[in-house]
Amino acid sequence: MIKLIATDMDGTLLNAAHEISEENIQAIEYAQSQGITVVIATGRAFYEANTPIAQTDLKLPYICLNGAEVRDESFNISSTSNLNRELIDRITDVLNRESIYYQIYTNIGIYTENPQRDLDIYIDIAERAGQQADVEKIKAGIQKRIDNGTLKVVDNYDKIKDTPGEIVMKILAFDSDLEKIDRVSEELAQSGSLAVSSSSRGNIEITHADAQKGIALQTIADRLKVDMSDVMAIGDNLNDVSMLERAGYSVAMANATDEVKATAKFETESNENSGVGKAIMKLLKEYNN
């Protein structure tokens, strides 16, 4: 019986326009009406994850930054996991050596040294997903984030380390050279203190080893006194694997990577066809009646 549901956002709950379909909203509301807790589990920072949710009437807990931060329905932070100076230096030394561009995610905002590279990343992500990138819309989105302060442009990342009260929670690296990305991922993954995953081919998401969606979801389940065999998790990419492996009802999107599909017990339709909503309604009908 399903008692807790966790869904990824990009490539899963959200369509290519970064919106939640009405079918997905209605399915989540139905699950909630049955006493089921529905959780967002994303690699996004909270201030980015909340944007599409705020356009609906949904009230949901959040697993953000692949588990580096967990918030309740009222946005209160219940747990965090950050990278210390030694780990930050270890990561950035490797990325700089390989000339790989990266952003730094902190509890204050997202830092970039080059907004043009950010534009290139979003275009590449869209194209790798088989979508037509709306360059002007992406540019406008980046500028909006700069204007509202969630994306901060700096000359050098070094100053972030010395800001009182600011903690680094994730480093997102990107390169179009996939062989280089794979090589660096393997090197960083050798550290037992780091969790290395990906939300799109060509990027690397690096957090503390304790910051994984599966670990955060397990913590929420324990808090709710829900066994993981009664948890449903839905995702499409490598940073979802840790929660799909733990959940009794694991669901891969039709647009998911082969590894995710191999991990999941069920498969639903794509994010463009409200696969999350369809999966929720189908599995609740089959297993909760």
Side-chain angles (χ1 to χ4, degrees):
M1 184 174 185
I2 299 169
K3 300 178 181 178
L4 172 63
I5 300 172
T7 175
D8 173 50
M9 293 192 79
D10 295 284
T12 303
L13 182 63
L14 305 181
N15 58 26
H18 299 283
E19 299 169 337
I20 308 174
S21 71
E22 187 59 34
E23 183 174 353
N24 284 348
I25 293 172
Q26 290 179 2
I28 291 172
E29 290 177 335
Y30 173 75
Q32 291 175 321
S33 75
Q34 302 302 301
I36 298 169
T37 299
V38 182
V39 181
I40 294 295
T42 179
R44 292 185 179 209
F46 171 73
Y47 29 84
E48 291 188 309
N50 186 53
T51 299
I53 303 297
Q55 297 170 16
T56 73
D57 292 326
L58 296 173
K59 287 184 67 66
L60 306 166
Y62 290 82
I63 295 171
C64 297
L65 299 168
N66 292 337
E69 181 180 89
V70 178
R71 296 183 183 235
D72 64 19
E73 295 90 337
S74 299
F75 309 153
N76 298 309
I77 298 174
S78 57
S79 66
T80 60
S81 181
N82 64 286
L83 296 164
N84 61 29
R85 175 69 71 90
E86 178 186 353
L87 291 175
I88 295 168
D89 290 342
R90 186 183 308 173
I91 296 164
T92 56
D93 284 349
V94 174
L95 297 177
N96 290 331
R97 184 193 73 211
E98 295 281 354
S99 299
I100 293 178
Y101 171 75
Y102 60 93
Q103 295 175 328
I104 294 181
Y105 285 62
T106 78
N107 57 323
I108 303 299
I110 303 169
Y111 290 83
T112 178
E113 291 179 338
N114 188 345
Q116 180 59 45
R117 290 300 308 274
D118 296 345
L119 174 63
D120 296 340
I121 290 172
Y122 288 117
I123 292 173
D124 187 84
I125 289 173
E127 292 177 347
R128 288 186 189 278
Q131 301 162 355
Q132 180 64 43
D134 187 332
V135 177
E136 292 307 313
K137 185 174 182 179
I138 295 172
K139 282 183 178 178
I142 291 173
Q143 189 58 52
K144 182 178 180 180
R145 292 163 66 207
I146 293 173
D147 292 341
N148 65 26
T150 58
L151 181 63
K152 304 175 185 296
V153 182
V154 293
D155 295 329
N156 191 293
Y157 289 139
D158 289 341
K159 64 181 67 176
I160 301 171
K161 304 174 188 176
D162 301 319
T163 303
E166 190 159 18
I167 56 175
V168 174
M169 306 176 80
K170 185 178 87 167
I171 293 178
L172 174 64
F174 174 86
D175 201 288
S176 58
D177 185 336
L178 299 184
E179 290 186 2
K180 183 194 292 187
I181 284 291
D182 290 342
R183 182 174 67 249
V184 169
S185 294
E186 291 176 8
E187 180 177 349
L188 291 172
Q190 291 176 7
S191 170
S193 300
L194 297 175
V196 181
S197 62
S198 172
S199 58
S200 175
R201 194 73 177 102
N203 79 21
I204 313 172
E205 299 196 344
I206 311 152
T207 58
H208 190 278
D210 293 337
Q212 299 183 52
K213 290 184 182 183
I215 294 174
L217 182 57
Q218 177 80 63
T219 300
I220 291 174
D222 291 345
R223 190 178 301 141
L224 296 173
K225 293 181 170 54
V226 172
D227 192 273
M228 287 303 292
S229 63
D230 294 325
V231 175
M232 176 180 177
I234 316 169
D236 74 307
N237 224 306
L238 298 181
N239 62 343
D240 300 313
V241 169
S242 65
M243 67 176 183
L244 295 176
E245 289 176 334
R246 289 170 168 83
Y249 302 85
S250 51
V251 183
M253 304 298 292
N255 51 286
T257 65
D258 291 340
E259 183 172 345
V260 168
K261 289 182 178 180
T263 302
K265 297 176 182 176
F266 305 94
E267 185 173 330
T268 186
E269 293 191 31
S270 73
N271 61 318
E272 291 301 305
N273 293 318
S274 301
V276 167
K278 288 181 171 64
I280 289 174
M281 297 307 296
K282 181 176 187 296
L283 293 187
L284 290 187
K285 180 179 180 180
E286 290 183 7
Y287 296 99
N288 281 33
N289 287 329

